[in-house]
Amino acid sequence: MTDSPAYRLPLDPQEQPILDRLLNIRDHLSILKQDRTSYVKSQDVMKHYEAVIEQVQALNKIRENKRNEQNRVDTVLDDCFQLISLFFLTIGRNSEAPAVYSAISTVKRLLDHLKEAGFYSSKDLESVGHHIQDWQESVERGKDSHTADLLTLLDARIEVCKSTLKELHDQLSRLDPEMMGRHEKLVSILRSLSACNCRSKFPTKEVNDFEQQVNQIREEMHAETITYDGKSAEETYAAKLSNLSLSEGDVRDGREVVLALLARCTLWIDIIREKQGKIDPKFQDTYDKLLKIRNTLEQMNLTQAWSLRETDLYSFQRQLDRVDEARVNGNFLDVTGQPADLHAQRTLLYLLRKSYAFIYQYIISSEPVSEALLPIYNQLLTLKRCLQEVKRSGGVDSPRELYPYSMKLNSVDNMKKDGKFMVGNDIPEGQASVTALLDECFELAYELRSEADERSEKKDEVETNGVASKAVEA
């Protein structure tokens, strides 16, 4: 069981029974998560959700006069809510308030890391802002169906994310369109360089190509060449970072922001060239752990739609949380308590942020469909993409070419019983989404068939007129 970092504060004896019940609930949720013999049912999730809410209400009564208390009860409670939130995604109840919990927790860390890293694109912020708004609406809709204890917690976390998001937006507010284009390009280059830095074999040619792109932007901006003044590249980079540290209300000129990012790209190239992908041995274990998590999450991207159960993300979240929360003042420390050098710090932060970014991407791309219906839903998604591609490429010459698609659509439609997609005697969540997608596919097939019929009729008319003309000439 991957647990959250545990608080060491003494536990109120009154809270011990609550902790015991929460541990029991978490164990049951973990067993349910690991069981792949059948799909997760809504009633199973709701049973555990209601049991957790009971413990929250009991805890609130005990802490009526000590609201800021934090101990192991809170970490285990967070585990339970994280699991339940991911289970809500698994059963297709994405738009309900409990499903928001895990998403907001992930975005909170992601925004903190973007702020700490000191570089990000406007597209990053637009995506997060859009989804935060959706989650806010989910919480507001849940006022009549979910306890105020959970909704108040979610509201508070959303407000924290919105505040950080505004601060990050403000830093880009003075970039005109030309500067924004250069800024986006440099963000992309710096991320690509960080990815190169984590390769098993250092890609010298790619790094040289990125350096040429950076130099081109420097020439366009008539920027000065970086001088080290007797300092190392790492020392110069650290000085640039300290000048870039974001503080509330501190909004820089757009050109200044881009020039600082340009300098960071140049310095980072020199640093990773010197290191050649080698990290300080004292942080090798942490590096290997984060690299493995990043690589596993990246590989999941290839099979996500077909095999990912959202609760699979829980163990990755918890492993990353442990690494993140073990830092002191943002620093990764070795076994003796000494902070890592700049290269190790930035490399480990990149892997941490990238891993959270993958988890965020998987959460927001979760379909509002129970895993029981996902095989059907994914088949229909594939059919829809195929039909759209056929339409984009000019359609078909004959309705007969659509037979394979029509047969598949009819076979899916015939799976319904009384208008519902059933699994045994159960009616899984996501019926409306699957039905709507099926209707879209039928509509696309109908449009293609109609276009093919029109082409066929026109062809017959041309051939008939041609025969008639030859007869008259004869």
Side-chain angles (χ1 to χ4, degrees):
M1 179 75 203
T2 306
D3 199 357
S4 300
Y7 284 94
R8 299 304 179 191
L9 295 179
L11 182 69
D12 186 329
Q14 288 182 291
E15 295 185 10
Q16 187 62 52
I18 294 174
L19 176 60
D20 293 339
R21 294 188 195 104
L22 287 173
L23 286 168
N24 186 50
I25 293 168
R26 190 182 69 176
D27 289 343
H28 280 91
L29 287 168
S30 298
I31 292 169
L32 184 62
K33 176 176 77 74
Q34 294 166 7
D35 182 8
R36 295 280 185 166
T37 59
S38 62
Y39 76 94
V40 179
K41 300 177 178 62
S42 290
Q43 56 266 34
D44 293 333
V45 177
M46 293 307 297
K47 175 180 67 177
H48 294 302
Y49 169 64
E50 290 164 3
V52 170
I53 294 300
E54 283 181 18
Q55 302 313 308
V56 171
Q57 292 168 344
L59 186 64
N60 284 341
K61 289 179 182 178
I62 294 173
R63 293 184 179 176
E64 200 165 356
N65 298 317
K66 46 178 181 178
R67 292 298 186 188
N68 295 326
E69 179 79 11
Q70 288 285 303
N71 55 43
R72 188 158 185 251
V73 174
D74 300 272
T75 62
V76 177
L77 180 61
D78 183 56
D79 288 339
C80 291
F81 271 131
Q82 289 279 10
L83 277 165
I84 285 170
S85 179
L86 293 169
F87 270 119
F88 264 75
L89 296 176
T90 301
I91 62 177
R93 298 172 71 163
N94 302 37
S95 59
E96 294 192 33
V100 171
Y101 189 96
S102 183
I104 284 294
S105 298
T106 301
V107 162
K108 164 77 168 60
R109 291 187 185 272
L110 195 53
L111 288 173
D112 287 343
H113 293 155
L114 289 177
K115 180 178 176 180
E116 183 181 352
F119 71 97
Y120 45 87
S121 72
S122 59
K123 293 176 183 177
D124 297 331
L125 306 185
E126 287 170 10
S127 170
V128 172
H130 169 73
H131 290 290
I132 286 177
Q133 184 59 40
D134 288 344
W135 298 329
Q136 180 82 68
E137 292 171 4
S138 295
V139 172
E140 290 173 359
R141 283 196 304 269
K143 289 180 178 177
D144 296 329
S145 53
H146 295 284
T147 176
D149 302 283
L150 173 63
L151 300 182
T152 301
L153 174 62
L154 290 173
D155 269 328
R157 292 193 174 189
I158 287 173
E159 286 305 313
V160 170
C161 289
K162 288 166 75 173
S163 175
T164 306
L165 188 63
K166 181 182 181 304
E167 192 176 345
L168 295 176
H169 264 301
D170 288 345
Q171 296 301 318
L172 304 182
S173 62
R174 293 188 181 176
L175 291 172
D176 60 33
E178 183 181 9
M179 286 296 174
M180 182 63 80
R182 287 172 179 156
H183 184 271
E184 299 277 344
K185 179 67 174 175
L186 288 169
V187 167
S188 175
I189 290 173
L190 195 46
R191 286 179 176 169
S192 297
L193 288 169
S194 295
C196 289
N197 180 49
C198 296
R199 300 265 188 90
S200 56
K201 183 179 180 181
F202 188 75
T204 301
K205 185 180 182 304
E206 281 186 51
V207 172
N208 291 342
D209 290 341
F210 288 127
E211 184 178 35
Q212 289 180 6
Q213 295 176 43
V214 170
N215 289 336
Q216 182 179 348
I217 294 174
R218 174 178 289 104
E219 291 174 6
E220 292 170 356
M221 296 185 68
H222 305 290
E224 295 179 359
T225 305
I226 298 290
T227 55
Y228 293 100
D229 297 326
K231 297 179 181 178
S232 68
E234 286 196 56
E235 290 170 335
T236 310
Y237 189 100
K240 290 287 181 184
L241 267 183
S242 63
N243 292 334
L244 269 175
S245 59
L246 304 180
S247 57
E248 192 171 351
D250 178 22
V251 180
R252 294 178 175 80
D253 175 76
R255 179 177 171 81
E256 182 185 346
V257 171
V258 176
L259 285 175
L261 194 55
L262 181 65
R264 287 181 64 182
C265 285
T266 302
L267 291 164
W268 190 238
I269 288 171
D270 288 343
I271 291 169
I272 64 175
R273 269 199 187 126
E274 180 185 340
K275 298 293 183 178
Q276 290 287 307
K278 306 296 183 185
I279 199 163
D280 185 336
K282 294 192 292 291
F283 295 90
Q284 189 68 47
D285 289 345
T286 304
Y287 174 80
D288 291 341
K289 180 177 183 178
L290 289 175
L291 185 65
K292 182 179 179 181
I293 293 172
R294 194 282 307 264
N295 290 344
T296 303
L297 287 168
E298 188 173 32
Q299 289 164 8
M300 286 167 62
N301 193 41
L302 302 173
T303 58
Q304 177 211 356
W306 298 95
S307 63
L308 176 67
R309 177 185 272 186
E310 284 79 1
T311 50
D312 295 341
L313 298 174
Y314 173 77
S315 61
F316 296 109
Q317 284 179 323
R318 281 308 182 227
Q319 290 179 71
L320 294 170
D321 292 349
R322 288 185 74 103
V323 173
D324 199 14
E325 294 178 21
R327 296 195 291 160
V328 177
N329 297 325
N331 292 315
F332 293 90
L333 305 181
D334 63 19
V335 292
T336 65
Q338 295 301 307
D341 60 27
L342 186 140
H343 173 260
Q345 291 282 359
R346 306 309 291 183
T347 300
L348 296 175
L349 179 61
Y350 163 75
L351 290 173
L352 194 60
R353 181 191 59 75
K354 187 67 176 176
S355 298
Y356 276 117
F358 275 123
I359 291 174
Y360 164 72
Q361 192 60 45
Y362 294 144
I363 287 175
I364 64 173
S365 59
S366 173
E367 302 290 355
V369 173
S370 166
E371 65 174 351
L373 297 183
L374 266 182
I376 298 173
Y377 188 82
N378 288 329
Q379 288 178 49
L380 290 173
L381 272 180
T382 302
L383 269 173
K384 180 183 175 181
R385 293 189 190 106
C386 290
L387 290 167
Q388 287 174 329
E389 187 58 36
V390 170
K391 190 176 179 67
R392 274 194 295 269
S393 60
V396 294
D397 295 326
S398 166
R400 289 186 178 183
E401 295 178 45
L402 294 171
Y403 282 176
Y405 302 106
S406 299
M407 289 176 64
K408 183 60 182 178
L409 287 172
N410 287 327
S411 71
V412 172
D413 193 37
N414 290 335
M415 292 179 184
K416 293 191 288 188
K417 297 178 182 177
D418 298 325
K420 303 288 184 183
F421 290 95
M422 308 281 288
V423 176
N425 295 321
D426 297 325
I427 303 176
E429 302 282 348
Q431 298 288 329
S433 297
V434 178
T435 301
L437 188 54
L438 179 61
D439 290 343
E440 285 182 54
C441 290
F442 271 122
E443 182 65 28
L444 278 167
Y446 176 76
E447 290 174 6
L448 287 167
R449 188 178 297 108
S450 298
E451 291 172 3
D453 285 337
E454 287 178 13
R455 288 194 190 95
S456 182
E457 288 174 7
K458 288 179 181 178
K459 184 178 180 182
D460 290 344
E461 286 178 11
V462 169
E463 290 177 352
T464 302
N465 292 336
V467 170
S469 297
K470 288 180 179 178
V472 169
E473 289 173 4

